[in-house]
């Protein structure tokens, strides 16, 4: 078994950031991850830092609200994604949330005037509760100047689509979650494939 499966969550978070940076999901200091630990606390990377260079001493830990926040040993500023992560944890009982700035997410929202929809791709099976031959949908919300301003629309999108494990933000990125970091990682990989597939289909004139 790979050592990541038994590593403490702060180390898992830092390692996932390094891997996601290599994929272009958290470059330019954008994007992020929050993980819930078995004691009910949440781990979070600080804002505006190079996500591939994080160490466990850079991470914030909080309980249910900002007042319970434990500052990292290395200082830093709490990410503006905090209320968005919280909205998803509360609405979905998620154990892990990933915010990706992958270029395929931004481009997929450009080729979908309404919500994202795709069908007949094997990778749809990687999203829990979904199969190949019925359409997979992802709500798209409109972008805002500041990340916390997305919170209301994100909550509405979660209420509107009870099957989704992702919400896209137009021209910006996506929030993806799972019961734990392993499921969230699988979802993020499958969704990114499907977002890219949609863009390539449009390029082929088949969208
Ligand atoms: Zn973002």
């Amino acid at each position: 078994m790979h050592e990541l499966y038994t590593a403490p969550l702060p180390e898992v978070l830092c390692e996932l950031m390094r891997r996601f940076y290599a994929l272009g999901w958290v470059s330019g200091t954008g994007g992020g991850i929050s993980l819930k630990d078995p004691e009910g606390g949440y781990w979070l990377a600080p804002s505006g830092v190079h996500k591939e260079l994080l160490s466990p001493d850079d991470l914030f830990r909080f309980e249910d609200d900002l007042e319970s926040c434990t500052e990292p040993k290395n200082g830093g500023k709490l990410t503006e994604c905090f209320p968005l992560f919280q909205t998803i944890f509360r609405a979905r009982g998620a154990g892990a949330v990933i915010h990706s700035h992958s270029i395929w997410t931004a481009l997929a929202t450009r080729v979908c005037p309404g919500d994202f929809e795709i069908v007949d791709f094997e990778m749809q099976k990687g999203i829990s509760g979904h199969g190949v031959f019925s359409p997979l949908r992802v709500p798209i919300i409109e972008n805002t100047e500041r990340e916390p301003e997305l919170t209301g629309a994100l909550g509405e999108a979660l209420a509107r689509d009870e099957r989704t494990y992702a919400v896209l933000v137009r021209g910006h990125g996506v929030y993806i979650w799972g019961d734990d970091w392993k499921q969230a990682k699988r979802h993020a990989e499958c969704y990114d494939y499907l977002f890219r597939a949609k863009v390539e289909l449009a390029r082929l004139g088949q969208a």
Side-chain angles (χ1 to χ4, degrees):
M1 183 186 277
H2 193 280
E3 60 192 23
L4 202 61
Y5 287 112
T6 52
L9 279 186
E11 286 176 24
V12 171
L13 196 155
C14 294
E15 179 60 23
L16 290 179
M17 285 289 205
R18 282 190 284 276
R19 289 167 188 245
F20 293 168
Y21 176 83
L23 293 169
W25 294 0
V26 292
S27 59
T29 75
I33 306 172
S34 185
L35 302 180
K36 186 176 184 182
D37 64 35
E39 289 76 43
Y42 302 87
W43 294 95
L44 201 65
S47 167
V49 298
H50 292 279
K51 298 297 195 297
E52 80 281 22
L53 303 178
L54 284 171
S55 76
D57 287 345
D58 293 316
L59 303 185
F60 286 84
R61 185 182 186 282
F62 57 93
E63 302 287 338
D64 263 341
D65 49 41
L66 270 179
E67 287 71 51
S68 66
C69 188
T70 308
E71 299 272 327
K73 280 188 191 154
N74 293 344
K77 183 171 168 281
L78 186 66
T79 171
E80 291 203 318
C81 296
F82 175 81
L84 296 141
F85 287 135
Q86 279 298 85
T87 297
I88 295 168
F89 280 124
R90 284 179 183 154
R92 291 298 211 258
V97 182
I98 296 166
H99 177 42
S100 165
H101 279 191
S102 163
I103 190 166
W104 301 115
T105 66
L107 289 176
T109 63
R110 292 291 181 95
V111 301
C112 298
D115 287 340
F116 175 90
E117 185 174 310
I118 200 163
V119 69
D120 294 343
F121 278 90
E122 179 69 13
M123 288 291 259
Q124 291 169 225
K125 283 159 63 176
I127 312 299
S128 294
H130 289 76
V132 178
F133 302 115
S134 51
L136 177 142
R137 294 190 185 87
V138 178
I140 300 178
I141 61 175
E142 301 304 320
N143 201 15
T144 55
E145 195 59 46
R146 304 292 300 269
E147 204 101 18
E149 293 167 5
L150 295 167
T151 310
L154 177 70
E156 286 166 19
L158 292 171
R160 178 155 61 88
D161 188 338
E162 293 183 347
R163 293 184 68 215
T164 191
Y165 283 88
V167 174
L168 282 157
V169 186
R170 201 175 302 283
H172 175 160
V174 65
Y175 284 84
I176 297 172
W177 58 93
D179 295 340
D180 54 27
W181 68 263
K182 297 171 283 267
Q183 191 191 57
K185 177 175 178 289
R186 189 188 82 215
H187 284 167
E189 289 164 356
C190 293
Y191 274 122
D192 201 67
Y193 175 103
L194 295 167
F195 298 149
R196 180 175 184 174
K198 187 76 177 181
V199 173
E200 300 290 2
L201 282 174
R203 209 202 306 259
L204 294 168
Q206 294 182 28

